[in-house]
Amino acid sequence: MEHKETSQEITVADFDGTVLASYSKWGDFPDTYGNLKASLKIIGNEGFMAYGSRGFLFYDFEGVLQSLEKHVDSQYQGVTRIGLGIGMEGLEDGYLYRNTVGGDKLPNGAEDYAALRPLVFLNPQTGETKPLLHFPESSIFLRGRYFFRNAWDPAFTIADHLIYVAFGLEPVIYSYEATPPYSFVSSIPLDLPDYNPAEGEKEYTPNVRFFGQARTSGKILNIKMVNDFFIIAYFPGFNAADREASFSNKSPEGASNFWNGMREKYPHRMAIFDASGNRLSDFESKRLIGSSMVLRNGELWMQEKPDEEVERDYFRLFRVGLKVNELKNNED
């Protein structure tokens, strides 16, 4: 999908890159999805589902609406991050997704954090949504501190009848059973080199230093499991000196130079762990966007980074594999 100022263009292509169809379902159309709440989801070989403000809509690949199941409850219409690697995953007869309901309100105190449900189960057959999973007792979010908005935004995947999830800045993979009541199973700490997450504040402070941590804190961006290995995409976060420097007064040119320097100093990285949590490799993904990882038919796909020097009218997707025999030598 291509997001434009006045349209959202849906393009259907085959695995050779040949465009088969292109159309829009956003705006004043009788079969519109309204405001899109998640990335489009391909359903088998028949078509795709759009999870929008109107409900769950199923289209064939030519764009003809096949069915619409409206939401049972009113849906919060806040800002939703949409893109490759930020989507729902199949769970039983529905889908697992980030819980976007109530995202306009920050937790206020320990009880609010304990009540948070960062994930939601979507049932496209009935239009129902069901919030899932609490933070485990050992989570940093249950230690009586305050965090910036979406500090706990979950990165998740489903494999081996388990839900694996990392809650935002917390460098831990938690596992839960993938069937009701979705009981907590175990935790796997992630030893990430030079990882600098925000530690939270003792009191809520509505100032730039509190909310600005969203830009400087380390954060887990995506996780996938392939051949019993965890693949982690993450932002390492600023060290203490650079974090402090980010809040200093700068001229427009100085601010631009500072943030350009920080992007070079702190690139997004990828790490590979075995199922026990032993780090086997850690590297900068120079050609591919780590956060774009998706699994389709058991295969791992990622999007190529755009060339900042050359504007192109296309983008490329890569099917990616692991050099398993080389991982123990710390090679990527």
Side-chain angles (χ1 to χ4, degrees), residues 182-223:
Y182 308 105
S183 300
F184 173 73
V185 176
S186 65
S187 60
I188 304 174
L190 300 176
D191 175 24
L192 299 170
D194 299 319
Y195 186 68
N196 298 298
E199 297 179 353
E201 303 293 336
K202 293 182 180 180
E203 297 180 355
Y204 172 74
T205 54
N207 58 41
V208 67
R209 288 181 176 271
F210 178 72
F211 291 99
Q213 295 175 82
R215 196 171 186 180
T216 62
S217 172
K219 196 170 188 181
I220 309 301
L221 303 173
N222 200 340
I223 63 173

Side-chain angles (χ1 to χ4, degrees), residues 97-100 116-120 132-135 152 154 167:
Y97 190 52
R98 292 168 171 80
N99 190 357
T100 61
L116 272 178
R117 300 289 190 97
L119 290 163
V120 66
L132 295 186
L133 309 187
H134 290 290
F135 296 125
W152 51 86
F167 295 114

Side-chain angles (χ1 to χ4, degrees), residues 16-31:
D16 294 320
T18 302
V19 174
L20 305 178
S22 183
Y23 41 81
S24 178
K25 297 296 178 183
W26 181 72
D28 189 17
F29 295 97
D31 57 352

